[in-house]
Amino acid sequence: MDSGIGLLAATAAVRRLRPDADLVLSLDPDGMPWGARTTQDLTARAVAVAEAAAGYRPEALIVGCNTATVHALSALRARLEPAVPVIGTVPAIKPAAAGGGPVAIWATPATTGSPYQRGLIEDFADGVRVAEVPCWGLAEAVEHADESAIDTAVAAAAALTPDDVTTVVLGCTHYELVADRIRAAVQRPGRPPLVLHGSAGAVAAQALRRIGARPEPETSALGAVTVLLSGRVGALPAPALAYPEGRLLQAAVSPAP
């Protein structure tokens, strides 16, 4: 679940680990973007989107959105667990810091400098130097697959990223869809290859662990994909098909009634 196509990265990661899994993608086009909403309003939207998905009796729910994880995870777990395990998405600061840094965290302006992110840095950065980089307009540009706006937002964030950074944490699920562009913009000539840390792979693996399932990437079976748009069965938004993750899922999307 997510307000928009930021959930594609985690969904595609699940697809690659378990091609046979039936997937329900629950988006909220009527209420997006969530980032500008109050915590109470955002939580209400997130719960509604989750309950729409819960009607399909899933084995687990992935909150494929950093903002929703920050503000609504407790409410979602209170509503759905223990019947449905709820897996949140947290920036991969701990594994990034393990590489020694310096580290940059690319995140939405609302998350950058927030008590939530500062707490993660304190808990997991372990003395590694961390630069918090606000990415103005990047999530919105990715959501609409606006190529020019993506290039502009990536370039602006790259200009704010210290030259000696060796690792970038992608602190918004949308950013994982344009990871190659971010790498190209931040990589400095003559420096070691830049390391990027997203959350999708870890979140997908955790979802399987929570339901006692094992990765079976070689299976030939192909599960169905159902898309819910603010609770209504529909199709993947057109911008999703601009990304490999969206195209991976498109072939299996069940037709809307």
Side-chain angles (χ1 to χ4, degrees):
M1 57 161 282
D2 189 4
S3 62
I5 64 173
L7 54 64
L8 288 179
T11 307
V14 174
R15 189 63 155 183
R16 293 184 182 105
L17 291 176
R18 289 300 300 254
D20 59 330
D22 293 330
L23 302 172
V24 177
L25 282 62
S26 194
L27 292 72
D28 188 28
D30 292 355
M32 67 174 300
W34 284 352
R37 293 181 176 272
T38 65
T39 295
Q40 182 178 11
D41 194 18
L42 186 155
T43 298
R45 301 297 309 189
V47 168
V49 166
E51 288 185 335
Y56 287 75
R57 302 180 66 184
E59 294 178 75
L61 174 73
I62 293 174
V63 184
C65 173
N66 297 87
T67 300
T69 298
V70 172
H71 296 290
L73 186 62
S74 296
L76 292 169
R77 285 179 168 163
R79 185 67 61 97
L80 296 176
E81 290 187 341
V84 181
V86 179
I87 296 91
T89 299
V90 177
I93 295 173
K94 185 175 182 179
V103 173
I105 304 174
W106 282 35
T108 63
T111 299
T112 300
S114 66
Y116 162 75
Q117 184 160 288
R118 291 282 168 84
L120 291 175
I121 293 169
E122 279 189 27
D123 291 343
F124 299 121
D126 195 27
V128 171
R129 181 156 54 86
V130 175
E132 297 181 86
V133 178
C135 302
W136 297 93
L138 181 54
E140 293 81 1
V142 172
E143 178 69 31
H144 297 100
D146 185 329
E147 299 289 328
S148 176
I150 291 170
D151 287 343
T152 298
V154 167
L160 297 175
T161 303
D163 287 345
D164 61 347
V165 156
T166 61
T167 306
V168 173
V169 174
L170 304 177
C172 171
T173 53
H174 281 80
Y175 303 170
E176 298 191 48
L177 301 178
V178 292
D180 287 346
R181 295 196 198 192
I182 292 171
R183 183 190 306 278
V186 178
Q187 180 68 58
R188 311 302 189 201
R191 302 281 300 173
L194 186 74
V195 178
L196 297 185
H197 282 277
S199 301
V203 166
Q206 174 67 359
L208 292 184
R209 282 193 292 269
R210 289 289 302 274
I211 65 174
R214 298 175 61 87
E216 295 181 13
E218 303 305 322
T219 182
S220 59
L222 197 62
V225 177
T226 300
V227 177
L228 301 179
L229 304 174
S230 299
R232 306 176 300 273
V233 177
L236 276 175
L241 304 184
Y243 305 104
E245 293 85 349
R247 296 192 292 272
L248 173 68
L249 300 166
Q250 172 65 11
V253 173
S254 302

